[in-house]
Amino acid sequence: MSVWRPQPAHAWGLVALLAAAAGPHVLRLPPELMALWLLAVGWRLRLLLQQRPPPTALLRGLLTLVVAVALYLKFSSVLGREAGSALLTMMAGMKLLELKQHRDAIVLVLLAYLLVAVQFMFTRSPWAGAYAVATLMLITTGWIGLGQTQFRSWRDPAALALRMLLQALPLMLVLFVLFPRLPGPLWALPSDAHARTGLSGDMEPGRISALALSDAVAFRA
């Protein structure tokens, strides 16, 4: 099976959309994981621009093993908000490193969409929403551009992406108004899933008043 060799514009587009989607998560990574992510993405971009094949399976396997060990040493688990987002971010970087076929690029685009959604597990500020909209525009433009074999300019894919997002806006508003609000997270997260049901076995002055004034979760039903 021949290795897919994208045009330089496609290579830059893939790296740009991945960097935009993963950027907020990369900034939260420990320094060693951040360095590994930047190494993998920069290395693959250079190979893509030089029209060279991806690293060998042995090198990719060794780097993936190093990433897995670093994740385990830092988080001791893959469950939870921080560990899960770190795992997804690192695996997206590894996916770019093993890019061989056009379908791998499509998988990378879908991972970028997922990274944008995961960002709202950390913040739901207006700035985060504006950044997400701009990133969605970039990802959709890149996805459309990947489907063009005779690529000339990003102008037409960007115009089509903007038109598609504007067409989806009414449906988004309807879902925002009519979709039921959930009182808690979609799944239990370590930061807010552990209920505080009462006092511990040790008593200290002020412990009862601190418990009475606590806004921690008591239980979920």
Side-chain angles (χ1 to χ4, degrees):
M1 183 181 295
S2 60
V3 176
W4 179 58
R5 300 183 187 277
Q7 301 180 37
H10 289 155
W12 281 110
L14 278 173
V15 173
L17 67 88
L18 178 61
H25 304 288
V26 173
L27 295 177
R28 283 190 291 267
L29 291 174
E32 60 274 16
L33 288 174
M34 184 187 299
L36 287 172
W37 193 90
L38 294 174
L39 172 64
V41 173
W43 185 14
R44 190 65 181 105
L45 175 61
R46 181 179 179 182
L47 294 177
L48 287 171
L49 295 178
Q50 295 175 349
Q51 295 289 301
R52 295 170 59 186
T56 63
L58 177 60
L59 289 176
R60 296 198 308 269
L62 289 175
L63 185 57
T64 303
L65 180 61
V66 171
V67 168
V69 171
L71 284 169
Y72 179 78
L73 292 177
K74 177 62 180 179
F75 299 103
S76 301
S77 173
V78 295
L79 302 177
R81 185 176 58 178
E82 287 76 13
S85 65
L87 176 64
L88 181 62
T89 303
M90 297 305 299
M91 290 302 101
M94 297 299 103
K95 186 62 181 177
L96 178 65
L97 195 63
E98 71 168 7
L99 187 68
K100 292 182 179 180
Q101 302 298 325
H102 185 269
R103 65 174 179 269
D104 295 328
I106 301 302
V107 172
L108 190 65
V109 169
L110 297 179
L111 285 174
Y113 280 120
L114 183 57
L115 284 168
V116 174
V118 171
Q119 170 63 15
F120 288 102
M121 296 173 63
F122 294 89
T123 177
R124 290 187 288 270
S125 67
W127 291 110
Y131 183 82
V133 171
T135 305
L136 289 176
M137 177 69 184
L138 178 60
I139 297 172
T140 307
T141 300
W143 194 354
I144 297 171
L146 285 172
Q148 298 182 349
T149 54
Q150 300 297 327
F151 185 84
R152 295 182 178 86
S153 171
W154 286 108
R155 181 177 301 175
D156 292 339
L160 179 56
L162 179 60
R163 187 161 62 250
M164 292 172 63
L165 293 177
L166 289 176
Q167 290 172 348
L169 185 61
L171 178 60
M172 181 199 72
L173 294 176
V174 169
L175 292 176
F176 178 79
V177 173
L178 299 180
F179 198 81
R181 302 293 193 271
L182 299 179
L186 291 177
W187 56 85
L189 301 176
S191 61
D192 60 8
H194 299 297
R196 188 173 181 181
T197 58
L199 294 170
S200 65
D202 300 327
M203 291 294 294
E204 297 177 358
R207 179 69 63 85
I208 294 179
S209 60
L211 179 64
L213 297 175
S214 174
D215 60 354
V217 175
F219 68 93
R220 296 193 185 277

